[in-house]
Amino acid sequence: MSEFIVTTKNLKKYFSSRSGTVKAVDGVNLAVRQGEIFGFLGPNGAGKTTTLRMLATLMTPTSGTINIAGFDVAKQPDEVRRHIGYVGQNGGSDRPATGVENLILQGRLYGMSHAEANERARELVKLLQLNDFADRIVYTYSGGQRRRLDVAIGIMHRPDVLFLDEPTVGLDPQNRANLWDEITKLKSQGVTIFLTTHYMEEADILSDRLTIIDEGKIVDEGTPEALKKEVGGDCIAIGVENQQDVGQKLKIAIKKEGYSTKITEESELIKIYVKDGALVVGRLMKLLDQQKVKLRTITITEPSLDDVFLQKTGYSLRDKDLDEGGQS
Amino acid sequence: MKTLRDIRLLFWRKMMETLRNPIYIVVSMLTPVVYLLLFSPLLKKLTIPGYTPSDVLNLFVPGLLVIVAFLSGLFVGYTMIDEVKTGVIERFRVTPVSRFALLAGRVLRDLVNTLVIVIFFTLVAIPFGFHVHILGYLVLLILVALLLITTSSFGNALGLILKDEDRLSPIVQGINLPIILLSGMLLPMVLAPTWLQVIAHFNPAYYAVEAGRLLVAGHIFQAQVGEAFLFMVPLAVFVVFWATRAFNNALS
């Protein structure tokens, strides 16, 4: 088997609607390495879920090919199904059954004997810490408990690749952090994880490599660090007294120093983009002293994935999500 | 065989639901009893060709059995929508389970539930004056099963395709009433004008009701009984085939 466990070539999914053709996925090439956490980041409606549904044998592509674990999804869907686990946005646990019953049935549907399935279920109960509620009916679960069960069901048959569609949507921060731990734990067990998300923080923390998608097309790809480095350096934002009067002069003075790549001015802030914030901040303070400008606030931020998105698409991921609202 | 194993596993998943929440079965059992108590006395004063007031239940009960089967199948779409919304169906469709088994496990559970209700109702009706010919009744149970398989497959596929209660309701409610009225269950279609009788011939429940009345009286080898099977068997095969395709539409 090659180093890539999931590959797609020129994958497309078009939907025809009354207002014309919607290019939900428009020529996507992906290559997921064995054993990594692969993040698929984009705003709602970017085509993440549609791509994932095609990978998981739930939807037929308009054109293009998908290969998973050496099998062609169009030609050998059942072979692909044996090698993948899938946790959809709505989970998939059966509400009127207990957690353990859900797990055992899932195992048996993949051909395990009852004893095998039972043993594996107990193993997962331990691994994902479901002990407190595994024998209760799923109707009684909290959102976080149900998510953990959903993930356990997804890996019941020891898949090579686990697809997670927006795994932490609707979870509170604590449950989100817990689930991140669980996902990292799964990776250490050797499962390749393909995860879609519209949370930049989530993509940043979890992904070994990530791909950014917008309007059906891939915008950028790489490790989170490399992507952020592309944007270039840090941003020092300063707020000074009497900015209206001194702002213009200050900007020219900073520019003369030669360490800034870009300077922008907002109503209350001057933003100075530099290679390395920590090295420059001392010289900047000295300059402010010389100019007799009184500093009110100063923050140094590293670039975020949102800055990457902004640079590539011209708009912020946060804004786009607010505009579209709802779920993709 | 793998498919049979899949069907068995999925049947027991649904059966456990029923056993955990038997209130549904209990309520379903009460409905026919309510009919017996509150509606059948009205029939005693009617003069219906071929029936005396004492055996009027032989007119009424077969029709009710058929309608019970029809309705318990038709309304399963609501549970299906629940399972679509909670992602259960999607999860099963990502497993290598046979698509036919995904349908058959559910339909089989509905079949068992319905036969329990139907047989219970028959036993209750006997002391009220329902005379039943055993062999004919067994043939009627086969017809009832065919009808249930058809409507449960139809109801499940409808839920799967529409994915939303607000879209499902107008359809099942719209089908429900004309099928019941045109089955001749409440009053036999003999009393109907010709145009109504013609329309009734497009109604699977009509054939089952007509045949059912003959069957409980022991008239097994009658044209109407053969007609019912000729109509119902191909219909059941067609609907099951179509519903299986609905489970498979991902790769169609």
Side-chain angles (χ1 to χ4, degrees):
Chain A
M1 209 181 290
S2 71
E3 100 185 89
F4 296 112
I5 187 150
V6 179
T7 54
T8 72
K9 274 204 196 94
N10 205 16
L11 190 63
K12 290 182 183 174
K13 183 70 189 182
Y14 293 176
F15 296 104
S16 43
S17 73
R18 252 166 269 169
S19 50
T21 306
V22 179
K23 298 181 176 180
V25 176
D26 195 14
V28 164
N29 295 305
L30 296 173
V32 181
R33 289 205 182 102
Q34 197 130 25
E36 72 179 348
I37 298 184
F38 184 89
F40 201 38
L41 174 71
N44 288 325
K48 302 186 300 286
T49 296
T50 307
T51 304
L52 197 67
R53 291 175 60 82
M54 290 191 282
L55 295 179
T57 76
L58 286 167
M59 195 184 264
T60 318
T62 305
S63 69
T65 56
I66 305 168
N67 191 291
I68 296 178
F71 300 100
D72 187 313
V73 169
K75 288 177 193 137
Q76 293 155 290
D78 273 348
E79 284 301 330
V80 170
R81 285 173 182 145
R82 260 178 263 280
H83 288 86
I84 62 171
Y86 169 81
V87 182
Q89 265 174 38
N90 302 325
S93 45
D94 191 17
R95 303 293 197 273
T98 71
V100 169
E101 283 169 357
N102 265 287
L103 289 168
I104 290 178
L105 176 65
Q106 183 79 355
R108 303 215 63 198
L109 291 177
Y110 282 95
M112 292 183 190
S113 71
H114 187 88
E116 274 176 300
N118 190 47
E119 195 184 319
R120 172 70 173 158
R122 294 295 161 188
E123 198 179 304
L124 289 178
V125 164
K126 222 166 151 195
L127 179 74
L128 292 171
Q129 289 158 11
L130 315 176
N131 323 52
D132 297 342
F133 48 86
D135 289 309
R136 284 197 342 233
I137 300 279
V138 176
Y139 271 123
T140 65
Y141 285 21
S142 72
Q145 292 172 332
R146 210 167 51 220
R147 273 278 124 168
R148 266 145 77 193
L149 175 63
D150 292 337
V151 172
I153 292 172
I155 55 168
M156 183 66 193
H157 60 293
R158 302 186 177 85
D160 296 325
V161 196
L162 177 65
F163 293 106
L164 296 171
D165 195 6
E166 300 274 3
T168 63
V169 160
L171 294 188
D172 59 54
Q174 197 194 334
N175 273 311
R176 176 169 298 166
N178 283 345
L179 195 62
W180 287 347
D181 287 345
E182 312 294 359
I183 291 172
T184 316
K185 221 190 272 175
L186 293 184
K187 185 200 158 190
S188 66
Q189 302 239 322
V191 187
T192 306
I193 293 162
F194 186 112
L195 140 125
T196 77
T197 181
H198 68 280
Y199 297 121
M200 292 163 291
E201 196 195 357
E202 184 163 287
D204 199 351
I205 290 179
L206 286 179
S207 316
D208 295 314
R209 289 190 313 130
L210 64 90
T211 287
I212 301 177
I213 183 171
D214 186 46
E215 292 176 356
K217 288 193 161 80
I218 287 178
V219 170
D220 208 348
E221 54 199 334
T223 65
E225 292 70 34
L227 288 176
K228 286 182 288 189
K229 222 169 253 169
E230 275 175 30
V231 179
D234 302 335
C235 168
I236 305 177
I238 55 173
V240 298
E241 277 180 10
N242 304 320
Q243 190 183 319
Q244 304 94 307
D245 309 330
V246 300
Q248 203 52 35
K249 204 177 128 210
L250 190 61
K251 271 164 63 183
I252 294 167
I254 295 173
K255 210 171 272 173
K256 264 192 200 149
E257 298 269 297
Y259 46 66
S260 64
T261 52
K262 194 169 106 184
I263 303 174
T264 61
E265 193 178 352
E266 292 168 17
S267 60
E268 299 269 310
L269 284 178
I270 297 171
K271 286 184 170 175
I272 308 140
Y273 292 87
V274 298
K275 272 230 174 65
D276 190 331
L279 293 179
V280 171
V281 71
R283 289 170 65 188
L284 181 64
M285 299 303 270
K286 209 177 278 171
L287 179 77
L288 292 177
D289 252 9
Q290 285 166 7
Q291 300 278 329
K292 302 204 168 32
V293 173
K294 264 201 173 156
L295 187 66
R296 286 212 322 247
T297 62
I298 178 165
T299 51
I300 306 177
T301 47
E302 296 178 342
S304 71
L305 289 176
D306 199 25
D307 296 317
V308 179
F309 193 81
L310 180 66
Q311 197 177 58
K312 295 284 176 178
T313 65
Y315 46 81
S316 155
L317 189 63
R318 283 204 182 89
D319 294 346
K320 177 125 189 187
D321 264 356
L322 287 178
D323 288 348
E324 310 228 334
Q327 289 205 319
S328 60
Chain B
M1 213 174 106
K2 184 179 163 297
T3 305
L4 286 180
R5 183 178 178 275
D6 290 346
I7 293 174
R8 201 188 72 222
L9 290 168
L10 293 164
F11 165 76
W12 277 109
R13 173 181 86 93
K14 295 299 287 179
M15 202 62 211
M16 283 304 291
E17 258 177 54
T18 305
L19 296 176
R20 283 215 169 96
N21 192 11
I23 195 84
Y24 165 76
I25 291 262
V26 172
V27 170
S28 313
M29 281 173 162
L30 284 176
T31 315
V33 176
V34 171
Y35 264 107
L36 265 184
L37 288 173
L38 303 184
F39 181 72
S40 66
L42 300 179
L43 295 167
K44 304 252 171 184
K45 296 254 168 80
L46 284 177
T47 41
I48 293 157
Y51 291 90
T52 63
S54 67
D55 64 1
V56 73
L57 276 189
N58 276 39
L59 171 80
F60 177 61
V61 172
L64 198 53
L65 297 184
V66 168
I67 290 304
V68 164
F70 174 78
L71 292 183
S72 29
L74 187 62
F75 284 90
V76 296
Y78 289 98
T79 336
M80 172 55 99
I81 286 172
D82 260 0
E83 292 190 10
V84 169
K85 286 189 173 166
T86 52
V88 178
I89 299 300
E90 198 172 76
R91 159 162 72 97
F92 287 148
R93 283 179 55 203
V94 178
T95 69
V97 164
S98 128
R99 310 293 111 160
F100 173 69
L102 287 177
L103 173 74
R106 314 175 73 87
V107 173
L108 219 56
R109 193 280 308 255
D110 296 339
L111 181 62
V112 171
N113 283 2
T114 304
L115 288 179
V116 167
I117 294 165
V118 160
I119 291 169
F120 168 79
F121 176 49
T122 309
L123 294 176
V124 172
I126 289 172
F128 281 82
F130 177 47
H131 317 290
V132 63
H133 183 275
I134 293 295
L135 198 59
Y137 180 73
L138 290 179
V139 178
L140 173 59
L141 283 188
I142 297 176
L143 266 186
V144 164
L146 273 175
L147 185 65
L148 185 277
I149 289 169
T150 307
T151 56
S152 164
S153 302
F154 179 73
N156 275 309
L158 218 54
L160 192 59
I161 291 165
L162 297 176
K163 298 180 181 69
D164 185 72
E165 291 92 347
D166 293 338
R167 290 161 70 196
L168 179 69
S169 280
I171 295 184
V172 293
Q173 298 297 355
I175 293 173
N176 181 8
L177 196 58
I179 292 270
I180 291 182
L181 292 177
L182 289 178
S183 70
M185 167 209 135
L186 298 171
L187 291 170
M189 292 311 286
V190 189
L191 303 174
T194 319
W195 65 271
L196 214 54
Q197 292 194 14
V198 170
I199 303 177
H201 278 82
F202 293 96
N203 179 0
Y206 165 75
Y207 292 94
V209 170
E210 289 287 300
R213 288 184 177 137
L214 290 167
L215 285 169
V216 294
H219 307 300
I220 299 171
F221 301 101
Q222 294 278 325
Q224 285 96 322
V225 177
E227 223 175 55
F229 277 95
L230 267 180
F231 191 87
M232 306 274 302
V233 172
L235 183 69
V237 170
F238 172 76
V239 173
V240 167
F241 182 77
W242 171 73
T244 303
R245 266 187 66 103
F247 274 95
N248 196 34
N249 64 2
L251 286 162
S252 60

